[in-house]
Amino acid sequence: MKILLFLFILSFNLSIFSSSLDLSCKGIAEVNSSVSGFGSGGSVVLNQRQKIKTNLLIFFKEDFKKGSIQLPSEMRPPIGGHRKDEFELKKIEVNDTEIKANFRINALNKPRIIISRITGKIEYFAKVWPWSFVGNCSIYDVSKKKF
């Protein structure tokens, strides 16, 4: 009887006990900044890359089947992302050592994130602005209020 009970527990689908993981990732983002000035031909606007300290929030639901990333305003591009701060994660891949996912900000900007489950290091890669983000993630407890 004990063996049958043990086998039943092993075969029981544990998806009803789905868990979530919320992360706060602090680090350095590489973004564009505009510098205005006047030259001999009139006004000039130069776009430069600059590195800024910032914080990302990442939310995984239903045992990593769904997720989203929340970008701070300084990492949201003026086209296709300036009014929206949370983006759905796609192609979430999870193994013992890392979590990988993609998301779409706009038609041209489809960044990829890789998070080490061992060190907490996050790497964010994009082909357009915001260019990159490198930082460290820690568990973000949404149930605890700061005040």
Side-chain angles (χ1 to χ4, degrees):
M1 186 66 176
K2 289 181 183 180
I3 293 174
L4 289 175
L5 181 61
F6 179 74
L7 290 174
F8 175 75
I9 291 171
L10 282 179
S11 64
F12 185 70
N13 185 355
L14 295 176
S15 64
I16 62 170
F17 301 110
S18 66
S19 62
S20 63
L21 175 66
D22 301 322
L23 300 173
S24 174
C25 305
K26 296 179 181 181
I28 304 293
E30 188 174 8
V31 298
N32 283 354
S33 67
S34 297
V35 177
S36 300
F38 292 98
S40 59
S43 65
V44 177
V45 177
L46 298 173
N47 282 323
Q48 302 176 354
R49 289 189 187 187
Q50 87 177 46
K51 294 184 178 186
I52 58 168
K53 288 184 181 179
T54 193
N55 189 39
L56 304 176
L57 296 176
I58 302 173
F59 308 99
F60 294 101
K61 306 288 182 229
E62 299 177 21
D63 292 328
F64 299 101
K65 291 181 178 80
K66 292 183 179 185
S68 62
I69 184 167
Q70 188 173 17
L71 298 179
S73 59
E74 58 268 11
M75 284 186 69
R76 294 192 306 260
I79 299 173
H82 66 288
R83 291 188 179 151
K84 185 177 177 185
D85 69 346
E86 196 163 349
F87 302 90
E88 182 182 357
L89 293 173
K90 306 278 186 176
K91 298 181 182 176
I92 301 171
E93 300 172 25
V94 180
N95 62 40
D96 289 341
T97 60
E98 63 186 12
I99 302 167
K100 296 179 183 180
N102 297 340
F103 64 100
R104 182 175 187 248
I105 295 175
N106 58 34
L108 298 175
N109 198 344
K110 299 171 186 162
R112 177 141 179 91
I113 59 170
I114 300 172
I115 305 167
S116 170
R117 296 184 78 184
I118 298 167
T119 65
K121 182 179 179 183
I122 181 172
E123 295 179 299
Y124 167 119
F125 308 99
K127 295 181 181 175
V128 294
W129 180 69
W131 304 99
S132 65
F133 176 85
V134 176
N136 290 300
C137 298
S138 57
I139 292 176
Y140 178 63
D141 189 351
V142 295
S143 68
K144 292 183 181 177
K145 296 185 188 224
K146 191 166 188 171
F147 51 90

